[in-house]
């Protein structure tokens, strides 16, 4: 499999984690989102993913999959072990709710496109950008903090689940944006533990070939 | 089952459609998102859904499920017939990619919270709001138009799928915001057909008890 992504992109990080936790080998093709106006806007990348976003996963038969939530569900269905979702439907729904809070209510609002629009079209200052980003991260992660279970190593038990695959990259982004995690003790503890584990360490943005 | 939602909310509409297509009966409890500063901010609703967003689905045993993407996957797993996803993993990934474009790349950016923030904190004019909303709807629906298959009644075949469950409410929102669908002939044809079908008609915002 071949992963087109960007070291610092939250959704690329998410997908690297899912692949790593499932023990799947993949080659990386870096797509620089800033250099030269963004390599994702090139004709070459448009032929791979017409939406011109990262990540894209190319299967060994050449099939192109896009959108990290869809790709991760594909991986879970096609490579069920180790599982990122348990068998119980209610617990699956709770874990997917955490993923949706991060994937729908937080990450899209601090993605590069909206922030560029705010700077260029609304003349947003960096302070205003910080308050915008801080609001969605703060509200969203507070909701996650309330949903995850207490007393576990990971969000929902002793093994990482889909919730951790979304949470760890989101907390990496939160720290980049300077958001405080002081009021989120469960999240801070889980992410500190996860980031120290070998599979999570290998997927960290700073360890990617295109990291600068 | 009991659905806490709002007639015009895209994600409530999405969940009504999934319930209707699966033939599941549900009672509705309207949560007015505007009146009195928003009923979703009340203490009573916070006890149901601490994130204070709609929709929430209460199962017959009292279990509360939140986040429409998670709830719809729960419904698909628990009430598999009629299916909203086919058996083939690649096709499931393509359909979920359409859902993710709408659920992550379009809808969160025109949700009530971000638009209120733009108006109040960035002094955005209605023209500027229109360009912001129009950009995400335009880019996202163009990506969807490229992904859905040609020559079918619905996005991916002769029966509605998860993609249609997301697309029909998103097009309803696009029309509310005045976005043109002229360059999206596949989407326009699919949604016109779907909206004329009884199950889709019954789930339409204008037919809900709290519609004004």
């Amino acid at each position: 499999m071949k992963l087109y992504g960007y070291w610092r992109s939250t959704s690329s990080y998410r997908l690297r984690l899912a692949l790593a936790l499932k023990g799947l080998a993949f080659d990386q093709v870096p797509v620089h989102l800033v250099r030269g106006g963004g390599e994702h806007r090139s004709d070459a990348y448009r032929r791979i993913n017409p939406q011109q976003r990262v990540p894209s996963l190319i299967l060994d038969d050449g099939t192109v999959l896009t959108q990290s939530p869809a790709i991760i569900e594909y991986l879970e269905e096609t490579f069920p072990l180790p599982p990122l979702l348990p068998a119980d439907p209610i617990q699956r729904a709770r874990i997917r709710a955490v993923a949706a809070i991060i994937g729908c209510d937080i990450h899209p609002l601090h993605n590069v496109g909206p922030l560029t629009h705010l700077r260029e079209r609304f003349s947003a200052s960096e302070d205003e950008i910080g308050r915008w980003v801080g609001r969605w991260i703060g509200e969203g992660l507070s909701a996650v903090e309330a949903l995850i279970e207490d007393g576990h190593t990971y969000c929902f038990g002793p093994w990482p689940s889909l919730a951790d695959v979304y949470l760890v990259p989101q907390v990496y982004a939160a720290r980049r944006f300077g958001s405080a995690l002081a009021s989120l003790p469960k999240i801070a503890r889980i992410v500190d533990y996860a980031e120290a584990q070998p599979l999570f360490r290998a997927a960290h943005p700073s360890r990617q070939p295109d990291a600068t």
Side-chain angles (χ1 to χ4, degrees), chain A residues 106-157:
Chain A
I106 306 178
H107 174 246
L109 294 159
H110 68 60
N111 223 340
V112 59
L115 296 194
T116 303
H117 192 110
L118 290 178
R119 289 190 181 99
E120 292 180 355
R121 309 294 292 266
F122 290 92
S123 309
S125 69
E126 289 313 298
D127 271 3
E128 287 171 323
I129 292 284
R131 280 193 292 274
W132 166 272
V133 172
R135 176 175 174 184
W136 311 120
I137 289 178
E139 291 181 8
L141 288 186
S142 295
V144 170
E145 178 82 5
L147 280 174
I148 58 183
E149 296 176 355
D150 219 346
H152 288 309
T153 308
Y154 291 99
C155 289
F156 289 93

Side-chain angles (χ1 to χ4, degrees), chain A residues 53-207:
Chain A
R53 297 200 177 205
V54 292
S56 302
L57 187 70
I58 319 299
L59 305 184
D60 291 341
D61 69 357
T63 301
V64 178
L65 299 183
T66 64
Q67 288 287 337
S68 64
I71 301 172
I72 295 172
E73 292 281 354
Y74 166 85
L75 295 175
E76 179 70 2
E77 290 173 350
T78 314
F79 306 97
L81 296 178
L84 295 175
L85 289 167
D88 176 58
I90 298 291
Q91 197 70 346
R92 292 166 73 87
R94 290 204 175 113
I95 292 171
R96 283 193 176 113
V98 167
I101 290 171
I102 293 169
C104 305
D105 295 340
I106 306 178
H107 174 246
L109 294 159
H110 68 60
N111 223 340
V112 59
L115 296 194
T116 303
H117 192 110
L118 290 178
R119 289 190 181 99
E120 292 180 355
R121 309 294 292 266
F122 290 92
S123 309
S125 69
E126 289 313 298
D127 271 3
E128 287 171 323
I129 292 284
R131 280 193 292 274
W132 166 272
V133 172
R135 176 175 174 184
W136 311 120
I137 289 178
E139 291 181 8
L141 288 186
S142 295
V144 170
E145 178 82 5
L147 280 174
I148 58 183
E149 296 176 355
D150 219 346
H152 288 309
T153 308
Y154 291 99
C155 289
F156 289 93
W159 298 100
S161 74
L162 188 73
D164 305 285
V165 163
Y166 277 70
L167 180 62
V168 169
Q170 184 56 61
V171 167
Y172 168 79
R175 288 178 174 146
R176 260 184 70 209
F177 286 116
S179 293
L181 301 179
S183 61
L184 308 167
K186 284 187 276 182
I187 289 176
R189 190 184 44 69
I190 288 165
V191 173
D192 283 348
Y193 177 84
E195 283 184 334
Q197 307 310 309
L199 291 178
F200 282 86
R201 273 221 308 277
H204 193 272
S206 64
R207 303 279 185 114

